[in-house]
Coordinates of all heavy atoms in Angstrom, one line a residue:
L484 N -68.9 42.6 -195.9 CA -70.3 42.3 -195.8 C -70.7 41.8 -194.4 O -71.7 42.2 -193.8 CB -70.8 41.3 -196.8 CG -70.7 41.8 -198.3 CD1 -71.1 40.6 -199.2 CD2 -71.7 43.0 -198.5
M485 N -69.8 41.0 -193.8 CA -70.0 40.5 -192.5 C -69.9 41.6 -191.4 O -70.7 41.7 -190.5 CB -69.1 39.4 -192.2 CG -69.3 38.1 -193.0 SD -68.2 36.7 -192.5 CE -68.9 36.4 -190.9
A486 N -69.0 42.5 -191.6 CA -68.8 43.6 -190.7 C -70.0 44.6 -190.7 O -70.3 45.2 -189.7 CB -67.5 44.4 -191.1
A487 N -70.6 44.7 -191.9 CA -71.7 45.6 -192.1 C -73.0 44.9 -191.6 O -74.1 45.6 -191.6 CB -71.9 46.1 -193.5
G488 N -73.0 43.7 -191.3 CA -74.2 43.0 -190.9 C -75.1 42.5 -192.0 O -76.2 42.1 -191.8
I489 N -74.6 42.6 -193.2 CA -75.4 42.2 -194.4 C -75.3 40.7 -194.7 O -76.2 40.1 -195.0 CB -74.9 43.0 -195.7 CG1 -75.1 44.5 -195.5 CG2 -75.6 42.5 -196.9 CD1 -74.5 45.3 -196.6
C490 N -74.1 40.1 -194.4 CA -73.9 38.7 -194.6 C -74.2 38.0 -193.3 O -73.6 38.3 -192.3 CB -72.5 38.4 -195.1 SG -72.1 36.7 -195.2
L491 N -75.0 37.0 -193.3 CA -75.4 36.2 -192.1 C -74.7 34.9 -192.1 O -75.0 34.1 -191.2 CB -76.9 36.0 -192.1 CG -77.7 37.3 -192.2 CD1 -79.2 37.0 -192.1 CD2 -77.3 38.3 -191.1
S492 N -73.8 34.6 -193.0 CA -73.0 33.4 -193.0 C -71.6 33.7 -193.2 O -71.2 34.8 -193.6 CB -73.5 32.5 -194.1 OG -74.9 32.2 -193.9
A493 N -70.7 32.7 -193.0 CA -69.3 32.9 -193.2 C -69.0 32.7 -194.7 O -69.9 32.6 -195.5 CB -68.5 31.8 -192.3
R494 N -67.7 32.6 -195.0 CA -67.2 32.4 -196.4 C -67.9 31.2 -197.1 O -68.4 30.3 -196.4 CB -65.7 32.3 -196.4 CG -65.1 32.3 -197.8 CD -65.0 33.6 -198.4 NE -64.7 33.6 -199.8 CZ -63.6 33.4 -200.4 NH1 -62.5 33.2 -199.7 NH2 -63.4 33.4 -201.7
P495 N -67.9 31.1 -198.4 CA -68.7 30.2 -199.1 C -68.6 28.7 -198.6 O -69.5 28.0 -198.8 CB -68.1 30.3 -200.5 CG -67.6 31.7 -200.6 CD -67.2 32.0 -199.3
E496 N -67.4 28.3 -198.1 CA -67.3 26.9 -197.7 C -68.4 26.5 -196.7 O -68.9 25.4 -196.8 CB -65.9 26.7 -197.0 CG -64.8 26.7 -198.0 CD -64.4 28.1 -198.5 OE1 -64.9 29.1 -197.9 OE2 -63.5 28.2 -199.4
S497 N -68.8 27.4 -195.8 CA -69.9 27.0 -194.9 C -71.2 26.9 -195.5 O -72.2 26.4 -195.0 CB -69.9 28.1 -193.8 OG -70.4 29.3 -194.3
L498 N -71.3 27.5 -196.8 CA -72.6 27.4 -197.5 C -72.6 26.1 -198.4 O -73.5 25.9 -199.1 CB -72.8 28.6 -198.4 CG -72.9 29.9 -197.6 CD1 -73.0 31.1 -198.6 CD2 -74.2 29.9 -196.7
G499 N -71.5 25.4 -198.4 CA -71.4 24.2 -199.2 C -70.9 24.4 -200.6 O -71.0 23.5 -201.4
W500 N -70.2 25.5 -200.8 CA -69.6 25.8 -202.1 C -68.1 26.1 -202.0 O -67.7 26.7 -201.0 CB -70.3 26.9 -202.8 CG -71.7 26.7 -203.0 CD1 -72.8 26.9 -202.2 CD2 -72.3 26.0 -204.1 NE1 -74.0 26.5 -202.7 CE2 -73.7 26.0 -203.9 CE3 -71.8 25.5 -205.3 CZ2 -74.6 25.4 -204.8 CZ3 -72.7 24.9 -206.2 CH2 -74.1 24.9 -205.9
A501 N -67.4 25.8 -203.0 CA -65.9 26.1 -203.0 C -65.6 27.0 -204.2 O -66.1 26.8 -205.2 CB -65.1 24.8 -203.1
T502 N -64.8 28.0 -203.9 CA -64.4 28.9 -205.0 C -63.7 28.1 -206.1 O -62.8 27.3 -205.7 CB -63.6 30.0 -204.5 OG1 -64.3 30.8 -203.5 CG2 -63.2 31.0 -205.7
M503 N -64.0 28.3 -207.3 CA -63.3 27.5 -208.4 C -62.0 28.1 -208.7 O -61.8 29.3 -208.7 CB -64.2 27.5 -209.6 CG -65.6 26.9 -209.4 SD -66.6 27.0 -210.9 CE -65.7 25.9 -212.0
T504 N -61.1 27.2 -209.0 CA -59.8 27.6 -209.5 C -59.8 27.7 -211.0 O -60.7 27.2 -211.7 CB -58.7 26.6 -209.1 OG1 -59.0 25.4 -209.7 CG2 -58.7 26.4 -207.6
D505 N -58.8 28.3 -211.6 CA -58.7 28.5 -213.0 C -58.7 27.1 -213.7 O -59.2 26.9 -214.8 CB -57.4 29.2 -213.4 CG -57.6 30.7 -213.0 OD1 -58.7 31.1 -212.7 OD2 -56.5 31.4 -212.9
N506 N -58.0 26.1 -213.0 CA -58.0 24.8 -213.6 C -59.3 24.0 -213.6 O -59.6 23.2 -214.4 CB -56.9 23.9 -212.9 CG -55.5 24.5 -213.2 OD1 -55.2 25.1 -214.2 ND2 -54.6 24.2 -212.2
G507 N -60.1 24.3 -212.5 CA -61.3 23.6 -212.3 C -62.5 24.3 -213.1 O -63.6 23.8 -213.0
A508 N -62.2 25.4 -213.8 CA -63.3 26.1 -214.4 C -63.5 25.8 -215.8 O -64.4 26.4 -216.4 CB -63.1 27.6 -214.2
Q509 N -62.8 24.9 -216.4 CA -62.9 24.8 -217.8 C -64.2 24.2 -218.2 O -64.6 24.4 -219.4 CB -61.7 23.9 -218.3 CG -60.4 24.5 -218.0 CD -59.2 23.8 -218.6 OE1 -59.4 22.9 -219.4 NE2 -58.0 24.2 -218.3
G510 N -64.9 23.5 -217.3 CA -66.2 23.0 -217.7 C -67.3 24.0 -217.6 O -68.4 23.8 -218.1
G511 N -67.0 25.1 -217.0 CA -68.0 26.2 -216.8 C -68.9 25.8 -215.6 O -68.9 24.7 -215.1
G512 N -69.7 26.8 -215.1 CA -70.6 26.5 -214.0 C -69.9 26.6 -212.7 O -68.9 27.1 -212.5
V513 N -70.6 25.9 -211.7 CA -70.2 26.0 -210.3 C -70.0 24.6 -209.7 O -70.8 23.7 -210.0 CB -71.2 26.8 -209.4 CG1 -70.7 26.8 -208.0 CG2 -71.3 28.2 -210.0
V514 N -69.0 24.4 -208.9 CA -68.7 23.0 -208.4 C -69.0 23.0 -206.9 O -68.4 23.8 -206.1 CB -67.2 22.6 -208.6 CG1 -67.0 21.3 -208.0 CG2 -66.9 22.7 -210.1
P515 N -70.0 22.2 -206.4 CA -70.2 22.1 -205.0 C -69.0 21.5 -204.3 O -68.3 20.7 -204.8 CB -71.4 21.1 -204.9 CG -72.0 21.1 -206.3 CD -70.9 21.4 -207.2
A516 N -68.8 22.0 -203.1 CA -67.6 21.6 -202.3 C -67.5 20.1 -202.1 O -66.5 19.5 -202.2 CB -67.5 22.4 -201.0

Side-chain angles (χ1 to χ4, degrees):
L484 293 177
M485 293 185 67
I489 297 175
C490 176
L491 304 182
S492 303
R494 185 78 196 281
E496 285 77 6
S497 67
L498 298 174
W500 299 90
T502 302
M503 299 178 67
T504 64
D505 291 343
N506 292 332
Q509 298 189 8
V513 179
V514 179

